[in-house]
Amino acid sequence: MRGWWREFSGLVLPTACGGCGRQHTALCEGCRAALTETPARRVRPVPAPVGLPPVYAAAPYEDAVRAVLLGHKERGALALAGVLGQALAGAARAAAAGSAPGVRGPLLLVPVPSSRRAVRARGHDATRRMALAAAAELRRTGTDARVAAVLRQRRAVADQAGLSARQRLANLSGALVVAGGGAGLLAGGQVVVVDDLMTTGASLVDAARAIRAAGVGGRHPDASGGGRSPARDIPGFPRTGAGPGRRGAGSVAWDGDVPRPVAAVVAATPESFAINRN
């Protein structure tokens, strides 16, 4: 009921720009441009945690971008999901092109899950909603893309607010798992972990770990010695010039015979952009 009322009220009640507050528009052109008109860039937090996949972001987390993300996530401004999905689509496209240019098959957008408690409190799953909008935008512009919501929290985690980077890593370490049957859904395409925001990178580190542990984008966990990746024989995974401990075409990080997961977010801290050395 709560989600339905938000959808309805967004259509019939007066609105203000989700970024700057200008009246009678859900999002003004200036705030839209802040999200969508700058090419996505690779970003890294300082310090960059071990296990962080290559991450691309659409915009710095400040000013209008911050207001739009908070409005959608915390205040239920669902009309903003479309433009956030557009921004996320650009970051996902850049992540796939910059990190695994030779991989064919669909882009598989894997949203970082929120806790059930957070979803109930907000009345919607903000990251999954943005992922669905991003996949629709990618398909509209000619890229085969699907949402694979296969990650689950297998244990409770503390609220991240106020935690240091090290505490966030400890809080989330081992918290995520690929749901039963999820690994099969991720075979045959480029896995892109997606989230709304990157601050320390802890959520993306554990999401990538969970995906690799399921045998996707890396060696299977029970492989020994020169073991095989379960995706070795899947059409669309190029093998020329790639192998254990080596890099394939472009800047892709290869593990075994398949590329590791990459990540895309709508926004990252301004410092993550400032130290970009790519």
Side-chain angles (χ1 to χ4, degrees):
M1 178 65 73
R2 184 177 180 184
W4 174 87
W5 170 247
R6 283 175 170 168
E7 297 272 10
F8 177 75
S9 62
L11 294 174
V12 301
L13 298 180
T15 59
C17 173
C20 65
R22 182 180 300 177
Q23 295 298 308
H24 307 304
T25 177
L27 192 68
C28 72
E29 289 304 313
C31 293
R32 180 181 295 273
L35 277 161
T36 62
E37 290 196 0
T38 301
R41 292 171 55 191
R42 187 165 175 183
V43 293
R44 284 194 297 269
V46 179
V50 174
L52 182 72
V55 185
Y56 284 73
Y61 185 62
E62 57 187 358
D63 303 329
V65 172
R66 181 177 185 275
V68 170
L69 277 170
L70 288 175
H72 175 259
K73 184 175 184 176
E74 303 294 349
R75 294 188 288 275
L78 303 184
L80 298 173
V83 70
L84 291 170
Q86 185 180 349
L88 185 58
R93 189 183 291 111
S99 298
V103 176
R104 298 185 299 274
L107 291 190
L108 302 171
L109 307 186
V110 180
V112 174
S114 300
S115 68
R116 292 181 180 178
R117 180 176 58 186
V119 171
R120 286 195 301 268
R122 293 169 183 150
H124 71 128
D125 188 329
T127 304
R128 185 168 184 174
R129 184 181 292 271
M130 285 189 298
L132 290 167
E137 173 67 15
L138 287 164
R139 291 192 297 269
R140 187 186 69 80
T141 54
T143 299
D144 186 9
R146 309 163 194 176
V147 174
V150 298
L151 291 175
R152 301 287 185 273
Q153 288 190 351
R154 62 179 172 186
R155 64 170 175 80
V157 298
D159 189 340
Q160 295 277 80
L163 299 183
S164 67
R166 180 173 295 183
Q167 289 169 332
R168 289 187 178 209
L169 283 168
N171 182 42
L172 292 174
S173 180
L176 299 178
V177 65
V178 173
L185 295 177
L186 298 181
Q190 173 61 64
V191 175
V192 184
V193 179
V194 297
D195 207 351
D196 59 344
L197 172 67
M198 183 188 73
T199 51
T200 65
S203 297
L204 300 177
V205 167
D206 202 58
R209 177 209 56 77
I211 290 168
R212 290 195 298 269
V216 181
R219 292 193 179 282
H220 195 276
D222 352 356
S224 58
R228 295 166 60 92
S229 159
R232 177 188 293 266
D233 300 314
I234 294 174
F237 282 90
R239 299 176 59 184
T240 303
R246 299 176 59 188
R247 289 187 180 274
S251 61
V252 60
W254 291 81
D255 192 354
D257 295 308
V258 293
R260 295 175 180 173
V262 295
V265 295
V266 173
T269 59
E271 294 77 15
S272 298
F273 283 85
I275 59 89
N276 181 33
R277 299 185 180 92
N278 296 291

